[in-house]
Amino acid sequence: MSDEDLWRVLHGIADMPYGAGQIAALEQLLRRVDAADDRHLAFVTRMQATTGYIYGGEPAKSFVTFSWCLSEFDRDPQPYHQRHLHQLLWHFKYMVSGLLKFPEVPLDRTYAVLDDMERRYRAGGHSLQAVHKHRFRVAEHVGDVEAAAHWYRLWQTTPRDELSDCAGCDPTSQVGYLADTGRDAEAVALAEPVLAGRLSCTEQPQAILTALLVPYLRTGRGEEARDAHREAYRRLRGNLADLWDIADHVEFCTLTGNEARAVELVERHLDWLDRPPSPAAAMHFAAVAAAALRQAGPSTVYRRAAEGRPAAEVSAASLADELAETAGGLAARFDARNGTTHQSEWIARRLAVRASGEHVPLSASVRRRPNRSTRPVGDEPIVGQGASTSSADRAERARTGNGERPAVTLPADAGPDDLLDLAEESWGRHDRVAFRAALVAYDERFGSAELPARTSAHRLALRASERGDEDDIEGAIKLNRAALELYREAGEEVPAQTVAGRLGVLLTKSAEDGEEGLLLVREAAEVLDRLGDARQRAAGHDRVALALLHRERWADALAALDRVPADAGGDRHLAARIALHRAHLLEQSDRVDEARAAVDEARRIGRELGVGEVVTGACLAYARLVDDPADAVAACDEALESAPPEAELPVRVTRARALLSAGRAVDAVDDFVEAVTLCVERGAEGDAFLRWELANAYRLVGRLAEAAEVAEEAVLGLDRLGAQAEADRCRHLLAGVYAGLGEIDPALALLEQLASNLDGPDNLPHRAQVLEEAGGILYDADRDAAAGERFAAAAEAYRLGDLPLDELRARRRETYAWFWADDRDAALRAVEVVDGLTAKLAGQAEPPVLYELALAAEAGARVLTGEDRLDEALGRLTGVPDRLRSIEAFGEAAQVEALIGELLLRLERPAEAEPLLRRVLGGLPAASRQVRQTAWLLARVLDLLDRPTEAAALRAEHDLDEDD
């Protein structure tokens, strides 16, 4: 590779985003540069590497490149050194800040660099303002309060010059010092004009916004604090070099009572501690992460795999202890180096951080501060006069829970069977409050008494119902088996068969025990047909239908329901449940009209009985069955009015989806946020999937920052669940959001990850689509060479997937990318490939094929035009405009005709070009960008035809300069 090629590579690397990719490219280039023995190039490359290491998260490596450049500068000064002197002097500031962050570097070394910095600044006639600032930073680091105040005053009173930090970074450090010394109002006032101006520094405005978090909070500016957190963290979150500032955001979340978000941020960046930019950043992050995890309660955190450590869910408490130990150990090393105790004291304060003051909502996905209750509020009874409330755990939860609890009065003289019968009746009426009140009273009054087997069996059966209500299916099965055995020992056949039927229904939920369950439930129904009353017979056949429903045998289940007595034995609550079951089965059988009728019946009975659980279930079923999303929303509105707390989550989700379908994405956002909040509060699985949907809703309403934040949370959660397909689909959504935000490099990184994940032969079309999207983003960002590579990779994936039309499109786009990258050889090679593909597709008359063939001809013509092969270019375009018009692609036809007019002009055939260009110009919309270009071409044609007056009038009409 020639020196010219190496310089070109260096310039390309300088345009890359900071990070591991740029660092790898710089280090590869350095090896080539050193082999080429070009001192100038070696110096400039190392200067670039110093900056790349600092901002890419590997500052320790910058010490080597800086020292090499400084030594080279001093050893043998060259003219090119002077061109980089300002940057070399600027790098002294990086060195002072960086050396402080590594406890293995003696403090004397930092002072020596500061002294050398001061000497060189004086020798160059520069202000010492930046030197004073960095002496202040050293004093602050070691905890020398008086020295810090002294250097701060000198820093503030010394004139700025071109080596001073930028207009955002200097105030950022000032804000930090003012906040540390309790002068929050001054800090906020200082920052206001800075934020009102333009900040173009790499570190701004995220650095000053981060410094303002606590001052905003302590001066009562909660909204400003929230907005600063959101904007700054979005800018920081992808850069390893910013781990220190990210730690400030974790601590801010803890301080403001956003413990869940704090833990999410810890989880997201936890693996950065395996490769921290510096020990100082690792110390800070470990300390604030430990403080956040200590507020997480008995939960777990997902820790990604690292060398020698597999990925795993780890206890938040144990991880907090580990991180606290890490932070404390690093602080001790710094103090040993510094000869003070300042860092250990500072870390102790970080570890002690707790929520303080008013809660400041930060999350775009969680509305309230989650209380993480395990049972929905509102369903625990307060047992009234006649029952003790002093001993049962459930009664204690009822007394200490939030909100009003309904009082249930039970007869003081009720016996054990009376209470159990009351519980059974309450269960059938969907009255969970009375059900639990009766059982609490039973357990308190008779829990330790010797009772008949029948009574004990009844209590076990009801306990099984409780477990089933709590989704503890295994526990419910065990209790039902025990109850069944006791009933059989007592010779109680009818209740035994009732329990056997319930047990059978539970077993059919399992693939292993499904046949046993079906046998049990059918035998029970047959016995109850002989021995039971009408209600018991109806319930028995309903249980058969449920069991068959679980086995997805829809027709057999409907047949079982046909055996139910018309009025369900006079039990209207049971009749409502049966109607719901019938509706579900009919829905699964695609008998939609009959399903709606069944739902309407259940809904009517539920309303008449005032049973919110039934009304809610019926409304949800109705929402699934209707075609008009507005009707689904109305059904959900009714459901919300009557839904018990545990049913609110599915109602919110259904309503949100219906609102999206109705084109009301703004309203859908609120329901999705509420659904995510409920999920988090209850510790329910599925919040990651809901966050994915919420992110899409935010995207649809144009709230892209919130969409990105929530999608990032969703990807983390989906990865944690092992749901790779869904995680990748969410990454695809997130990449589009990033692109919409102008965050090109994060979008590209996600698309690259997706392309890597989609490496199987079955995924070739999706892989190709992702690569083509990446090419489109790069092309729009004028990174044409990189775009050409992505389009080429996409085309190859389309070829392997046997998708020739898609391959042609990707190759056409590749052709344009190489053309605009000024790589004419690559563009010509791409045209040859395109020609081969068009030959294979020629003769097909489908509009998509005609469209791509026409645009491929245009692409080839443009490349040949650039090579001055004008006749060949013109020949390619013969008949193309007519073919485009035949498929109503009128804009593209006009574009091709304009190119034909340009070619005729350049071939000195103006008489042919004039009528063509006039027709094109007359057909273009007035505001079209193509109007000026076509008018310019037509004016040149008129010049060649010796009609200057017409040409001048045309230029005047379109505000064209003759020399354009």
Side-chain angles (χ1 to χ4, degrees):
M1 186 176 283
S2 68
D3 284 359
E4 182 180 349
D5 290 334
L6 292 173
W7 277 104
R8 186 181 301 112
V9 171
L10 176 59
H11 292 148
I13 291 173
D15 290 334
M16 291 176 66
Y18 293 121
Q22 188 196 52
I23 287 173
L26 280 165
E27 291 177 345
Q28 182 182 49
L29 177 62
L30 273 173
R31 289 190 290 271
R32 292 179 175 176
V33 165
D34 288 343
D37 197 28
D38 183 328
R39 289 178 59 197
H40 183 192
L41 182 57
F43 182 85
V44 176
T45 302
R46 283 177 169 82
M47 290 290 288
Q48 179 65 49
T50 298
T51 303
Y53 286 138
I54 293 294
Y55 289 108
E58 299 187 42
K61 293 181 177 179
S62 72
F63 304 156
V64 178
T65 53
F66 171 79
S67 297
W68 188 97
C69 290
L70 190 63
S71 175
E72 179 75 5
F73 181 91
D74 290 341
R75 181 179 64 82
D76 185 16
Q78 296 292 319
Y80 60 79
H81 286 147
Q82 291 302 314
R83 295 199 295 273
H84 299 282
L85 176 58
H86 177 273
Q87 187 181 10
L88 187 64
L89 293 175
W90 189 279
H91 283 178
F92 268 95
K93 299 188 290 185
Y94 294 160
M95 295 305 106
V96 175
S97 298
L99 292 170
L100 284 178
K101 298 172 182 176
F102 291 83
E104 61 270 29
V105 178
L107 202 57
D108 287 346
R109 176 63 182 148
T110 303
Y111 285 128
V113 172
L114 258 173
D115 292 341
D116 191 20
M117 175 183 175
E118 180 171 344
R119 179 181 64 79
R120 292 174 189 266
Y121 277 39
R122 286 186 185 278
H126 302 292
S127 169
L128 296 185
Q129 192 255 12
V131 177
H132 297 329
K133 174 180 179 177
H134 285 77
R135 291 196 185 279
F136 156 76
R137 296 188 71 168
V138 175
E140 191 177 42
H141 170 77
V142 301
D144 189 337
V145 177
E146 291 184 5
H150 168 73
W151 291 116
Y152 181 83
R153 285 192 297 272
L154 282 179
W155 164 32
Q156 296 305 303
T157 55
T158 302
R160 290 172 52 83
D161 70 354
E162 69 276 4
L163 286 172
S164 297
D165 283 347
C166 79
C169 290
D170 250 3
T172 296
S173 301
Q174 293 173 250
V175 166
Y177 179 70
L178 292 170
D180 289 343
T181 53
R183 296 148 66 183
D184 296 310
E186 290 181 57
V188 172
L190 174 71
E192 285 177 354
V194 177
L195 291 172
R198 290 192 61 183
L199 298 173
S200 57
C201 170
T202 301
E203 301 174 41
Q204 299 299 343
Q206 61 269 28
I208 194 166
L209 289 172
T210 300
L212 283 166
L213 292 174
V214 173
Y216 274 150
L217 200 59
R218 292 195 301 223
T219 54
R221 295 172 169 86
E223 289 190 11
E224 288 94 329
R226 178 200 63 206
D227 294 345
H229 163 69
R230 285 183 172 174
E231 180 176 352
Y233 177 72
R234 282 207 49 72
R235 293 171 179 265
L236 297 167
R237 74 200 186 291
N239 193 353
L240 177 64
D242 292 322
L243 182 60
W244 179 286
D245 282 0
I246 287 169
D248 286 338
H249 286 269
V250 173
E251 184 172 86
F252 175 73
C253 291
T254 302
L255 274 171
T256 53
N258 290 275
E259 294 90 348
R261 180 165 174 78
V263 172
E264 284 177 1
L265 266 57
V266 169
E267 195 171 57
R268 186 179 300 174
H269 300 285
L270 185 59
D271 63 322
W272 288 13
L273 287 178
D274 298 319
R275 49 190 172 94
S278 68
M283 174 184 71
H284 184 26
F285 185 85
V288 300
L293 291 168
R294 285 172 175 171
Q295 310 305 305
S299 61
T300 61
V301 174
Y302 180 69
R303 195 176 200 179
R304 294 182 181 87
E307 187 174 351
R309 187 191 70 221
E313 293 280 348
V314 296
S315 159
S318 63
L319 182 58
D321 292 341
E322 176 190 331
L323 295 179
E325 183 177 353
T326 296
L330 287 168
R333 289 178 58 199
F334 278 108
D335 285 342
R337 191 266 308 266
N338 299 339
T340 69
T341 59
H342 177 69
Q343 292 298 319
S344 292
E345 292 166 359
W346 188 79
I347 287 298
R349 292 195 293 274
R350 305 279 72 71
L351 290 168
V353 166
R354 300 289 184 271
S356 61
E358 184 179 351
H359 173 60
V360 179
L362 299 178
S363 176
S365 58
V366 179
R367 173 166 287 149
R368 298 178 293 279
R369 183 176 181 178
N371 59 25
R372 296 187 181 274
S373 62
T374 56
R375 182 188 291 276
V377 169
D379 62 351
E380 290 288 359
I382 296 177
V383 181
Q385 188 76 28
S388 169
T389 61
S390 61
S391 61
D393 289 340
R394 287 182 300 280
E396 178 62 23
R397 287 201 302 272
R399 284 192 295 271
T400 57
N402 294 325
E404 293 294 325
R405 298 290 188 274
V408 178
T409 301
L410 300 172
D413 59 351
D417 290 323
D418 296 329
L419 291 171
L420 294 179
D421 288 343
L422 176 60
E424 185 81 53
E425 293 168 9
S426 301
W427 180 265
R429 297 195 309 270
H430 301 269
D431 187 349
R432 297 295 188 266
V433 175
F435 171 76
R436 292 194 177 98
L439 293 182
V440 166
Y442 174 93
D443 290 344
E444 290 183 336
R445 299 179 194 182
F446 308 108
S448 59
E450 288 288 335
L451 296 168
R454 181 189 185 285
T455 303
S456 298
H458 198 180
R459 180 62 184 99
L460 284 172
L462 292 171
R463 186 170 286 125
S465 297
E466 287 184 287
R467 292 291 180 86
D469 202 32
E470 296 166 355
D471 289 329
D472 179 7
I473 303 303
E474 184 178 349
I477 288 172
K478 288 180 180 178
L479 288 167
N480 271 319
R481 287 191 189 277
L484 179 59
E485 184 177 351
L486 279 177
Y487 271 132
R488 284 174 173 167
E489 289 176 2
E492 296 284 347
E493 187 65 16
V494 170
Q497 294 305 325
T498 298
V499 171
R502 292 173 180 171
L503 173 60
V505 171
L506 293 171
L507 290 171
T508 55
K509 294 183 177 182
S510 162
E512 297 81 9
D513 302 317
E515 289 307 313
E516 178 193 357
L518 279 175
L519 181 62
L520 273 173
V521 79
R522 280 174 164 158
E523 288 178 350
E526 294 304 322
V527 172
L528 290 172
D529 264 351
R530 296 195 316 271
L531 304 178
D533 58 27
R535 187 207 168 280
Q536 290 165 335
R537 293 197 300 273
H541 290 298
D542 181 48
R543 286 191 284 269
V544 173
L546 275 177
L548 290 165
L549 184 152
H550 293 157
R551 310 308 295 169
E552 298 186 2
R553 293 167 56 177
W554 320 124
D556 292 341
L558 283 169
L561 286 183
D562 288 340
R563 297 182 64 184
V564 172
D567 63 350
D571 186 338
R572 301 188 70 214
H573 293 85
L574 177 59
R577 292 195 294 275
I578 291 171
L580 277 178
H581 298 158
R582 187 184 301 278
H584 182 66
L585 291 164
L586 291 166
E587 178 185 356
Q588 294 298 324
S589 304
D590 291 326
R591 294 161 61 179
V592 176
D593 290 338
E594 295 172 80
R596 286 177 187 155
V599 164
D600 287 339
E601 181 184 0
R603 203 169 173 185
R604 176 182 57 77
I605 297 173
R607 288 169 177 163
E608 291 171 359
L609 295 175
V611 179
E613 186 176 341
V614 171
V615 173
T616 301
C619 288
L620 284 174
Y622 182 82
R624 291 194 305 270
L625 291 165
V626 293
D627 296 324
D628 188 343
D631 291 340
V633 172
C636 290
D637 289 341
E638 180 182 351
L640 283 174
E641 293 177 1
S642 57
E646 65 272 17
E648 184 181 355
L649 176 56
V651 176
R652 289 288 181 186
V653 174
T654 303
R655 187 174 190 272
R657 291 170 180 166
L659 286 165
L660 275 185
S661 298
R664 295 170 57 188
V666 172
D667 297 322
V669 164
D670 287 338
D671 275 305
F672 276 128
V673 169
E674 185 65 24
V676 172
T677 304
L678 290 168
C679 242
V680 173
E681 285 180 337
R682 296 172 186 180
E685 291 187 2
D687 66 286
F689 294 93
L690 291 176
R691 289 175 202 253
W692 175 18
E693 294 189 72
L694 172 58
N696 185 51
Y698 274 131
R699 178 188 66 84
L700 291 172
V701 299
R703 295 168 63 178
L704 297 186
E706 288 103 324
E709 176 185 325
V710 177
E712 288 163 359
E713 296 169 356
V715 167
L716 186 68
L718 292 167
D719 278 341
R720 183 175 181 173
L721 292 171
Q724 181 176 330
E726 292 80 2
D728 282 346
R729 289 172 63 194
C730 191
R731 284 188 178 93
H732 193 215
L733 167 73
L734 182 55
V737 172
Y738 283 157
L741 287 166
E743 297 178 8
I744 302 303
D745 293 306
L748 292 171
L750 277 179
L751 291 174
E752 289 293 327
Q753 182 180 355
L754 279 173
S756 176
N757 290 350
L758 298 167
D759 57 354
D762 294 341
N763 289 323
L764 280 169
H766 302 297
R767 174 181 169 82
Q769 178 188 351
V770 165
L771 289 167
E772 189 176 1
E773 286 180 25
I777 291 172
L778 288 163
Y779 187 83
D780 291 341
D782 292 330
R783 291 157 65 172
D784 299 310
E789 294 173 355
R790 297 303 191 286
F791 287 136
E796 178 62 13
Y798 283 131
R799 185 188 70 79
L800 293 172
D802 194 25
L803 297 166
L805 187 61
D806 295 301
E807 181 187 358
L808 175 60
R809 182 186 62 250
R811 290 296 183 191
R812 166 176 62 79
R813 300 181 76 183
E814 178 196 356
T815 301
Y816 274 121
W818 294 128
F819 177 76
W820 293 115
D822 204 25
D823 190 337
R824 299 305 169 89
D825 290 339
L828 287 169
R829 288 194 297 272
V831 169
E832 291 178 7
V833 176
V834 166
D835 287 347
L837 289 169
T838 56
K840 293 178 182 178
L841 292 169
Q844 298 185 29
E846 294 85 354
V849 177
L850 290 177
Y851 183 82
E852 282 302 332
L853 289 174
L855 294 193
E858 181 193 13
R862 289 197 183 277
V863 172
L864 293 173
T865 301
E867 297 296 308
D868 283 331
R869 294 161 59 178
L870 305 181
D871 286 311
E872 291 179 65
L874 186 61
R876 284 175 175 265
L877 299 177
T878 302
V880 170
D882 289 336
R883 289 196 292 275
L884 285 168
R885 278 190 286 268
S886 73
I887 57 173
E888 299 184 355
F890 300 112
E892 291 85 346
Q895 182 175 293
V896 173
E897 285 187 319
L899 177 57
I900 293 172
E902 178 184 347
L903 289 167
L904 291 170
L905 172 64
R906 293 178 63 175
L907 288 166
E908 298 183 357
R909 294 161 60 180
E912 297 171 65
E914 182 192 359
L916 177 66
L917 291 173
R918 284 195 182 279
R919 185 171 68 249
V920 172
L921 186 60
L924 289 173
S928 169
R929 289 192 308 169
Q930 200 176 340
V931 167
R932 284 176 57 82
Q933 178 189 3
T934 306
W936 184 89
L937 289 171
L938 181 56
R940 293 291 299 135
V941 164
L942 294 170
D943 286 335
L944 289 177
L945 292 171
D946 198 23
R947 291 152 62 183
T949 304
E950 292 178 62
L954 188 63
R955 290 189 175 101
E957 179 184 352
H958 294 282
D959 194 25
L960 298 173
D961 192 313
E962 187 172 357
D963 297 327
D964 284 347

